[in-house]
Amino acid sequence: MSSIDQSGTFKLGDRTVKRLGYGAMQLAGPGVFGPPKDHGAALAVLREAVASGVNHIDTSDFYGPHVTNRLIREALHPYPGDLVLVTKIGARRGGDGSWLPAFSPEELTQAVHDNLRNLGLDVLELVNLRAMFDAHHPAEGSLEAPLTVLAGLQRQGLVRHIGLSHVTPTQIAEGRRICEIVCVQNYYNLAQRADDALVDELARDGIAYVPYFPLGGFNPLQSSTLSDVAARLGATPMQVALAWLLRRAPNILLIPGTSSVAHLQENLAAAGCALPDDAARELDSIASIGSA
Ligand SMILES: NC(=O)c1ccc[n+]([C@@H]2O[C@H](COP(=O)([O-])OP(=O)(O)OC[C@H]3O[C@@H](n4cnc5c(N)ncnc54)[C@H](OP(=O)(O)O)[C@@H]3O)[C@@H](O)[C@H]2O)c1
């Protein structure tokens, strides 16, 4: 059994994926805007991910924009049969790199077609609708109109499955009344535990929870407790942060992002990092449970 297989598997829509995957956002240029510093290095990260057994890659056409999807296509097309590419729509980029809402029927339809074209696919396996009422914090607001548009694109056969991102429990409940929601992608990690109850609720319903910023995002997690536990276990802090998430709930699927092959290999090796109970309890003390 290779190391990544030790992460286990979970059903994402009707596809089974390994619980340790890869998030491609970091492959675009600084601020997720423009081309990567090193095109060849970005392709190498994607190829190494798949060669190591990754079969779940998270992306969006608004990374770059278009950059990340085109890198994925160049590196990996024709795609291995078991590879699940998950994308998201609902935002667009301003000329200065700003993140703007793109929720009109025309923008959502265009986004699905942009993803199809840039990834080189006839159908998108899973599309997350990314709420943009507030770009930085989940904020209430009805998703009925955009989700109805996305469900229409699903009926046309352009999209197989639908998920939600950056959303509140109220929005998830609203979404589940409109169409089947197979995953939720929200900000969550060892230190950001506002979604604790939601993770458990979705686990009970067999819905995947895919934490974004699993390593802390643009400012990777730093904690003396995390470093101490990692040193004791002979692992790195990033590996322990991922191992904690794998242990946290069976419906958690990981998409750590990196632009470096060395970091990718380090992160994938977290699948083999077993956390003893006392280490998990110690790591729990880092959390600001209930705060966003
Ligand atoms: N739905 C949403 O709103 C949303 C928002 C943000 C992200 N996402 C998705 O979530 C994925 C993960 O988020 P993310 O990539 O922003 O954050 P992340 O996985 O928490 O962390 C990425 C950061 O950690 C660094 N890093 C990665 N592995 C490392 C290691 N082993 N040691 C030291 N540093 C390491 C990376 O730098 P290096 O490149 O130098 O390794 C990068 O700065 C994204 O790729 C994207 O697909 C979704």
Side-chain angles (χ1 to χ4, degrees), residues 203-261:
R204 282 193 294 275
D205 289 350
I207 296 175
Y209 183 90
V210 187
Y212 74 74
F213 294 161
L215 300 174
F218 294 101
N219 300 303
L221 293 165
Q222 281 186 317
S223 140
S224 53
T225 306
L226 178 58
S227 300
D228 290 349
V229 169
R232 244 179 21 239
L233 296 176
T236 69
M238 296 296 115
Q239 288 172 330
V240 170
L242 295 173
W244 181 87
L245 283 166
L246 284 175
R247 184 189 148 113
R248 170 63 184 80
N251 62 328
I252 288 189
L253 301 181
L254 301 187
I255 50 164
T258 180
S259 55
S260 132
V261 168

Side-chain angles (χ1 to χ4, degrees), residues 23-26 58 63 88 130 165 185 212-217 220 238 255-259 263 266-267:
M25 186 178 90
Q26 301 292 341
D58 187 79
Y63 296 159
K88 64 190 78 66
R130 209 285 189 183
S165 177
Q185 185 174 121
Y212 74 74
F213 294 161
L215 300 174
M238 296 296 115
I255 50 164
T258 180
S259 55
H263 284 169
E266 178 185 329
N267 297 344

